[in-house]
Amino acid sequence: RIVHLRSLREQFEEGLTTLPGINVFAQTAERLPNTVQIAVSGFDGEATVMELDRHGIAVSSGSACQSGSGKPSHVLKAMGLDDVTARSAVRISFGMSNTSADVDKLLAALQHILKSRQTQARALAW
């Protein structure tokens, strides 16, 4: 299980390196093999969750115990992140039924979301 989950996490994190404005938290730390926490620059975590949901992808903007509080994660705050960055956090957890194709779909959805944001920003600049 660990090998499968870690390979999905590593594939995802490698794919994130091609996307601008993505911050992976604690990437070099010892952590669970199936979980990645990221921030998408310019997005509130809840907005990212909703955008990914529109693509058929279920993720979370925080831990289950933090759900619905609206407060930034105390763990991310303890890591030294400011409120804005901590509120932009999204947690992705892979399961045994996830595949490499699921990771590709997630990366494509994030890329689409980032491009949509850039397009909107350019339109507003006119």
Side-chain angles (χ1 to χ4, degrees):
R1 289 177 62 189
I2 289 172
V3 169
H4 172 70
L5 296 171
R6 186 173 287 136
S7 71
L8 295 175
R9 184 186 77 189
E10 289 172 354
Q11 176 190 348
F12 179 60
E13 290 178 351
E14 178 65 28
L16 290 175
T17 64
T18 66
L19 301 177
I22 304 281
N23 180 22
V24 180
F25 300 123
Q27 192 167 11
T28 60
E30 186 67 28
R31 56 204 163 111
L32 294 172
N34 70 319
T35 305
V36 180
Q37 190 148 15
I38 64 171
V40 182
S41 180
F43 277 83
D44 177 77
E46 286 298 321
T48 304
V49 169
M50 288 188 292
E51 288 293 328
L52 288 171
D53 184 60
R54 289 184 184 117
H55 289 269
I57 299 169
V59 298
S60 170
S61 63
S63 65
C65 60
Q66 199 70 11
S67 178
S69 75
K71 296 179 183 176
S73 162
H74 68 281
V75 173
L76 295 176
K77 293 290 293 174
M79 291 169 52
L81 298 175
D82 60 86
D83 284 356
V84 172
T85 304
R87 280 193 185 99
S88 70
V90 175
R91 190 188 73 220
I92 295 99
S93 298
F94 298 106
M96 286 302 294
S97 63
N98 288 121
T99 64
S100 179
D102 294 329
V103 174
D104 290 341
K105 179 181 177 181
L106 173 56
L107 289 166
L110 284 170
Q111 184 175 32
H112 180 266
I113 291 165
L114 290 169
K115 282 185 179 180
S116 293
R117 173 57 66 100
Q118 290 171 347
T119 301
Q120 290 171 354
R122 280 193 294 265
L124 291 174
W126 288 95

